[in-house]
Amino acid sequence: MAKTTADNSTAPYDDVSHQIISSYFIGPQAENLPYFRENIDIILEELENARKNYFPEDPIFIDEDTQKSQAFVDSMGKMKCAVRVAANIIGKRSIPFWSPRYEAHMSTDMSIPALLGYFMTMLYNPNNVALEASPLSTVAEIEVGEQLCELFGYNIDPDSTEAPTGWGHVTCDGTVANLESIWVGTYSA
């Protein structure tokens, strides 16, 4: 076994669970960044396909002449510079949750599946206020609500008459979830 990590402990490379968990994260030294980037490329390819296949007979809206114009080039240059500066600052100034050396907070590194799902969803801008605006994410929200109800022992079978059918929904964060639970507790009988 090879010596690894900040405290020179030995990583269990022959442990299958370690191998699987290692595939879920970018890694403290960005070891899995090529795999993450490969999946980002897949998401962008599918985004391009979705947009090009939605009424493909429509004319090009942003043509090459527009893209070659000085105003367009300047605007893109400013955006690229702003992205580089912001990415640099956030990389230097953020708390290194991804590092095994940092154990001073309850947060940890975000998993690759979570990051990919978040990135992918943002590109389609679903709004979970109505099924029509978010056909996939609303279905996922319903499934997560049912999974949580089942986990905590609530009835999820709408045909069962033994207990009311449990339900739930996903909020944007913990604060909203807490406020909603206060509201439900206050106004439910």
Side-chain angles (χ1 to χ4, degrees):
M1 291 188 185
K3 293 286 185 179
T4 62
T5 69
D7 63 355
N8 284 330
S9 65
T10 304
Y13 292 110
D14 56 345
D15 181 356
V16 173
S17 64
H18 172 77
Q19 295 163 1
I20 292 169
I21 290 170
S22 294
S23 74
Y24 292 163
F25 298 94
I26 292 174
Q29 298 294 321
E31 300 90 336
N32 288 336
L33 192 62
Y35 303 107
F36 181 71
R37 184 176 283 128
E38 181 180 332
N39 283 288
I40 291 289
D41 288 342
I42 290 169
I43 292 168
L44 294 176
E45 287 168 13
E46 292 302 323
L47 174 69
E48 180 180 24
N49 291 337
R51 289 178 178 232
K52 286 183 174 180
N53 290 321
Y54 186 75
F55 291 96
E57 66 279 358
D58 283 354
I60 299 294
F61 184 76
I62 304 171
D63 60 18
E64 286 186 29
D65 289 339
T66 301
Q67 291 174 331
K68 291 178 182 176
S69 71
Q70 194 59 52
F72 185 95
V73 171
D74 290 347
S75 179
M76 282 297 195
K78 287 178 185 177
M79 182 170 41
K80 185 176 181 178
C81 180
V83 167
R84 175 68 67 187
V85 168
N88 182 276
I89 291 170
I90 202 165
K92 285 182 179 177
R93 301 290 183 206
S94 289
I95 295 171
F97 294 123
W98 65 84
S99 175
R101 290 177 174 271
Y102 184 83
E103 296 180 8
H105 202 272
M106 62 186 168
S107 297
T108 183
D109 199 5
M110 293 176 287
S111 71
I112 290 174
L115 292 167
L116 292 172
Y118 186 54
F119 178 75
M120 186 179 346
T121 304
M122 286 188 303
L123 295 173
Y124 292 91
N125 193 24
N127 186 340
N128 283 5
V129 298
L131 184 58
E132 298 82 19
S134 59
L136 178 62
S137 57
T138 296
V139 170
E141 178 182 37
I142 291 167
E143 287 182 13
V144 167
E146 288 176 351
Q147 289 171 351
L148 288 170
C149 286
E150 185 175 27
L151 178 69
F152 291 109
Y154 292 102
N155 174 36
I156 61 168
D157 181 3
D159 297 327
S160 173
T161 57
E162 295 177 18
T165 304
W167 65 274
H169 77 102
V170 178
T171 66
C172 61
D173 60 15
T175 300
V176 171
N178 288 333
L179 291 171
E180 288 185 9
S181 68
I182 291 169
W183 187 89
V184 169
T186 302
Y187 295 105
S188 63

